Amino acid sequence: MRIDVFTIFPDLVEGFTSRALLGKAQDKGLLDIRAHDLRSETVDPHRSVDDSPFGGGAGMVLMPEPLFSAVEAVDPPRPLFLMGPGGRTLDQGFARELAAGEGFSLLCGRYEGVDARVVDHLVDGELSIGDYVLAGGEVAALVVIEAVGRLVPGVMGNTTSGDDESFSEGLLEYPHYTRPAEFRGWEVPDVLRSGDHARIARWRRAQALARTVSDRPDLIEARGGLTEADRKALAEFDLD
C-alpha cells in the first residue's frame, strides 16, 4: 500500500513512520509511505506557502498555488484527503476500508487552514480524527497512517491481532495479563490459567461486554443494546 503525505514538515512524518511497526512494514515492502514538502514547488525566494486572508482576520491561510503544484507534480494515489473537521471521522470501520484499498493520500493544513479552492477542486474530501483543534494536520495524519497501516495484510505478525481488539465488534477489548501470575498480591484470574480455551473465550467476551457497558455505554447503544446472549455471557461470570 502506498500512502502519500503533503506537509510543510516532511521530516516529522518521515521520522515517525520510519520506526517500529510502520518502519518494519516499509522495510518488507508492505507499505510505501512518502512525505512531500509543500514548499518544493514554490518559486519565491522565501518559499512561501501562506498569505493573509482576503477580507481580513487573524492568522494566515495556505495558498492554493503551491498546494496544487505539489500534488500535481507527484500524481499521488487517490483518494486525497484534507485533514480537517468537515469530513468523515476516522473509526475502526473506516480504517479497515482504507486498508483494503491500494493507497490514499493526506494533505496537512496549517495556520488558519487552506484556501477554499483546495477543498473545492484539489482534494477528494476531508478526513477528521475528532472534534478538537490541532495546530496542524501532521499529527492527525500520523494517527490515520498508523490506524490503517497496521491493518494492511502482513504488517502485524499475528494475522488475528486486528480482529481481536477494541472496536472490532463495537466493543472495548477485554483486559490482558502476563507474567508473573502474582504481583504485589494481585493475581491473574484463574480462568486464564485453566487451559480451558472455550471458557477463556467466554470470559474474554464477558469482560469486553462489561468494560464497554461501564466505560462506553454509547457503543452498547449503537449496537442496539445487550442481546440475550450478551446477558447470559455476563451472568456466567457474575458481571451482570
Side-chain angles (χ1 to χ4, degrees):
M1 167 175 281
R2 175 177 161 182
I3 305 173
D4 285 32
V5 184
F6 295 88
T7 170
I8 60 173
F9 297 119
D11 55 332
L12 189 157
V13 174
E14 291 168 347
F16 181 87
T17 59
S18 65
R19 298 177 179 274
L21 193 67
L22 296 176
K24 293 177 181 178
Q26 291 188 84
D27 291 340
K28 294 178 181 178
L30 299 172
L31 293 177
D32 178 7
I33 303 172
R34 308 182 188 186
H36 307 284
D37 191 347
L38 289 172
R39 301 186 189 276
S40 63
E41 298 298 316
T42 55
V43 295
D44 69 299
H46 301 291
R47 305 182 72 205
S48 302
V49 294
D50 61 301
D51 206 338
S52 55
F54 279 113
M60 305 292 279
V61 177
L62 288 174
M63 299 183 292
E65 185 173 4
L67 275 61
F68 271 80
S69 296
V71 170
E72 291 167 352
V74 173
D75 189 22
R78 296 277 180 161
L80 167 61
F81 295 107
L82 170 67
M83 300 308 305
R88 180 176 172 184
T89 301
L90 181 72
D91 59 17
Q92 195 69 4
F94 194 8
R96 289 186 182 281
E97 288 179 29
L98 292 173
E102 295 183 358
F104 59 94
S105 301
L106 304 170
L107 174 59
C108 302
R110 273 275 153 180
Y111 314 118
E112 288 299 306
V114 303
D115 186 289
R117 289 164 289 191
V118 172
V119 179
D120 294 339
H121 304 292
L122 179 62
V123 302
D124 300 303
E126 293 186 51
L127 198 166
S128 170
I129 64 165
D131 294 340
Y132 44 84
V133 178
L134 301 173
E138 286 77 17
V139 171
L142 295 177
V143 169
V144 174
I145 292 170
E146 178 148 306
V148 174
R150 64 191 295 278
L151 297 176
V152 172
V155 171
M156 288 189 287
N158 188 332
T159 58
T160 64
S161 294
D163 298 324
D164 195 15
E165 58 188 5
S166 290
F167 309 115
S168 60
E169 294 184 9
L171 299 173
L172 298 180
E173 194 171 5
Y174 53 80
H176 294 274
Y177 294 88
T178 187
R179 293 178 178 83
E182 185 274 332
F183 174 70
R184 296 186 179 180
W186 302 308
E187 295 188 356
V188 173
D190 290 339
V191 62
L192 296 178
R193 294 178 285 166
S194 68
D196 186 338
H197 296 293
R199 190 161 187 265
I200 290 172
R202 296 196 308 274
W203 179 89
R204 286 174 168 170
R205 173 74 177 182
Q207 289 288 335
L209 285 164
R211 182 184 173 201
T212 309
V213 168
S214 173
D215 297 346
R216 290 292 303 276
D218 58 302
L219 295 177
I220 297 295
E221 184 178 350
R223 298 172 74 246
L226 293 174
T227 66
E228 186 60 31
D230 292 338
R231 296 185 187 280
K232 288 182 179 179
L234 291 168
E236 180 181 358
F237 297 97
D238 296 322
L239 296 172
D240 52 348

